Amino acid sequence: MSVVEKAIGLLNHFSTARPEIGLSEFCRLARRDKATTYRHLTALEAVGLVEQNPTTRAYRIGPAALRLAELREATVPRRDGVLQPLATLADRTGESAHVSVLSGSSLHSLAVHESTRHSTRVVIDVAILPLHATASGISAVAFGAPELRDAALANMNRFTDFTPTTPEALDAAVAEARRTGISTSDSGFEAGVHGMAAPIYDQSGALAGAVAVASVATRMTAEQEFTNRTALVEAARQITRNWGGTVPAVVEAAWADTLTPMPREDAAR
Amino acid sequence: MSVVEKAIGLLNHFSTARPEIGLSEFCRLARRDKATTYRHLTALEAVGLVEQNPTTRAYRIGPAALRLAELREATVPRRDGVLQPLATLADRTGESAHVSVLSGSSLHSLAVHESTRHSTRVVIDVAILPLHATASGISAVAFGAPELRDAALANMNRFTDFTPTTPEALDAAVAEARRTGISTSDSGFEAGVHGMAAPIYDQSGALAGAVAVASVATRMTAEQEFTNRTALVEAARQITRNWGGTVPAVVEAAWADTLTPMPREDAAR
DNA sequence: ACCAATGGTTCATATAATGAACCGATGCAG
DNA sequence: CTGCATCGGTTCATTATATGAACCATTGGT
């Protein structure tokens, strides 16, 4: 791992729950010594990616982040086409909704919307989603390029007792996702969190990311699952349209099958 | 300069005008060899700060930028408090308006708004503003901590024939800014660009940055200058209020003096 | 069929990253 | 006010890591 990755990796320890981090705390989080951590932080500070709270001396994300994000949206506009469908999804399901984008073979969180219906809800606060342990990741493997399966297999960390850690377990989840058009992960990443996700596409025609709903597992009923499924399909269609893509016929067919299991009169369209 | 700074420094070559950059072009821009540039780019790619356009192989800003910006906003909400006053400023003056924030002793561009009144306008496309050669920088030196003057003197690049490159020239501009509350830079950074700036403050009570108007120099008249000055003061007050700061009395006094030069009946308030 | 680009890779060399130990400041308990 | 713990920051010999000239393999233009 290069110095650059190590240094920038420090930024991953920031979250909305932990927006400012002191030097010593950084050393503990990053499991590195003080001198190295300090130099990395001052380097990041020099380029504006972090700055120090002048009163507490704690470090926080710096202003350069804003400029980079502006450039990103100017280059690859994604965020705008996502916020409205995401809000609707969170509303309709009453759960936390989020969208991730595929970059190379990793899935980056793009936007989150938490519903206020329940007092308990899932907080998504992670930068890079593991491919094998999240519903979004399973969607990526199921509907993305074959290399994504290799990438998933190359990094099968066990997060909970339910994390799929064998190729067979992964393939089973992937097969189910391909059959229904919706991937599922029950406590695979975090215990007590039930995730469902659908693939989204952009103008390139290739898989671009995933839209997902994260529910408190104890709240999942057959009815809730059907609501999630319906709302997810709608959100995936909208985001795909906003990004200038089209949902592949095979995915639309899978969605149609599971949404109208018995009669299939309106399966066309 | 550490590797981290070099690698992240590559990101500064992106701009709205040049949103994607190939490997060879990067080597030329960064004046570094291919192998090094390539390794830096792959490191940045690994952390999601850049990604490759799958078809052209050119590099562009990656999705991690969005997450960092989101965290920045959650930690230090700035941008929201700037956009509306900036649009008003651009509207009232008919020129390009922009805001920069101070981080340590460098001035980072935060937001830009271009007026559509004229077909020719100034395009601001720079990440870090030089302290000695821009109106915003002069404002920072004039109203910020004394160390900023040292930082300015330590890096007096000559950009044009009009760039102040002596301590005397700098101090003269700074004195004028302190007297009027508005700094000026005529073609100091880019030929033909006339800049005016006012200081802005945040909740810490210290200088937080500057708001500026960049005009095509040939369009500057006494009337235009007065319009800019008035609109700048209003924008600086609004942004400062939005950031939870207060304008120091001495700056308010300087503004009042130059805005009502002859009578001073309503100087109080 | 050629040339001039491009993106990417190799490997000996030299430079830059590393971390244990250290410093001074601050805060707290007895 | 003394002693202890923790904080942010610094030093310097050791060593790992970054470097870049030279090298491929492709691509696109003429």
Side-chain angles (χ1 to χ4, degrees), chain A residues 2-5 7-9 11-12 14-16 19-20 40 42-51 54 60-76 78-79 101-104 106 108-112 125-128, chain B residues 2-5 7-9 11-12 14-16 19-20 40 42-51 60-76 78-79 101-103 106 108-112 125-128 203-204:
Chain A
S2 77
V3 219
V4 182
E5 289 169 64
I8 301 178
L11 299 175
N12 287 332
F14 288 110
S15 70
T16 48
E20 299 201 347
H40 288 174
T42 46
L44 291 174
E45 190 174 23
V47 296
L49 275 180
V50 304
E51 68 179 14
R60 63 187 179 203
I61 301 278
L66 297 173
R67 187 182 143 80
L68 292 180
E70 197 168 42
L71 278 169
R72 164 71 182 182
E73 275 300 292
T75 314
V76 190
R78 285 285 150 99
R79 212 136 200 295
V101 290
L102 196 61
S103 178
S106 44
H108 292 254
S109 180
L110 170 66
V112 183
D125 218 358
V126 65
I128 298 188
Chain B
S2 77
V3 218
V4 182
E5 289 169 65
I8 301 178
L11 298 176
N12 287 332
F14 288 110
S15 70
T16 48
E20 299 202 345
H40 287 173
T42 47
L44 291 174
E45 189 174 23
V47 295
L49 274 181
V50 304
E51 69 179 12
R60 63 189 180 201
I61 302 277
L66 296 174
R67 188 184 142 80
L68 294 180
E70 197 168 30
L71 280 169
R72 165 69 183 184
E73 275 302 314
T75 314
V76 188
R78 284 277 155 107
R79 206 137 199 297
V101 291
L102 197 61
S103 177
S106 44
H108 293 254
S109 179
L110 171 65
V112 182
D125 217 2
V126 64
I128 299 186
Q203 78 290 342
S204 75

Side-chain angles (χ1 to χ4, degrees), chain A residues 6 9-10 13 24-33 37:
Chain A
K6 287 184 218 165
L10 290 175
H13 294 110
S24 298
E25 198 178 352
F26 251 128
C27 298
R28 285 188 292 269
L29 290 169
R31 299 165 183 283
R32 233 183 297 284
D33 73 301
T37 307

Side-chain angles (χ1 to χ4, degrees), chain A residues 89 92-95 135 139 143 173 175-185 194-199 211-215 220-238 251-261:
Chain A
L89 177 60
R92 288 180 62 182
T93 60
E95 302 285 355
S139 260
F143 302 103
E176 175 69 9
R178 289 211 179 106
R179 196 178 63 76
T180 63
I182 302 281
S183 59
T184 307
S185 164
H194 183 281
M196 296 173 66
V211 54
V213 173
S215 318
M220 285 304 294
T221 60
E223 192 189 0
Q224 175 74 51
E225 187 172 337
F226 187 77
T227 306
N228 287 2
R229 194 174 292 266
T230 319
L232 267 177
V233 166
E234 192 48 43
R237 284 195 187 121
Q238 276 190 33
V251 174
E252 278 289 3
W255 286 343
D257 278 350
T258 51
L259 286 180
T260 56

Side-chain angles (χ1 to χ4, degrees), chain B residues 29-50:
Chain B
L29 290 169
R31 298 164 184 283
R32 234 182 298 285
D33 73 302
K34 226 180 339 185
T36 302
T37 308
Y38 178 67
R39 273 192 318 272
H40 287 173
L41 284 171
T42 47
L44 291 174
E45 189 174 23
V47 295
L49 274 181
V50 304

Side-chain angles (χ1 to χ4, degrees), chain B residues 80-118:
Chain B
D80 294 345
V82 153
L83 298 180
Q84 191 270 320
L86 203 57
T88 307
L89 177 59
D91 263 0
R92 288 180 62 183
T93 59
E95 302 285 354
S96 297
H98 94 286
V99 168
S100 50
V101 291
L102 197 61
S103 177
S105 46
S106 44
L107 209 50
H108 293 254
S109 179
L110 171 65
V112 182
H113 194 108
E114 295 177 13
S115 164
T116 52
R117 186 176 312 167
H118 304 285

Side-chain angles (χ1 to χ4, degrees), chain B residues 213-268:
Chain B
V213 173
S215 318
V216 175
T218 53
R219 231 167 21 227
M220 285 304 294
T221 60
E223 193 189 358
Q224 176 74 51
E225 187 171 325
F226 188 77
T227 306
N228 286 2
R229 191 175 293 267
T230 318
L232 266 177
V233 166
E234 192 47 45
R237 284 194 186 121
Q238 275 190 34
I239 294 169
T240 296
R241 175 155 19 90
N242 289 347
W243 286 3
T246 44
V247 178
V250 56
V251 174
E252 278 289 2
W255 284 344
D257 278 350
T258 50
L259 286 180
T260 56
M262 292 303 119
R264 25 186 170 128
E265 39 193 78
D266 61 354

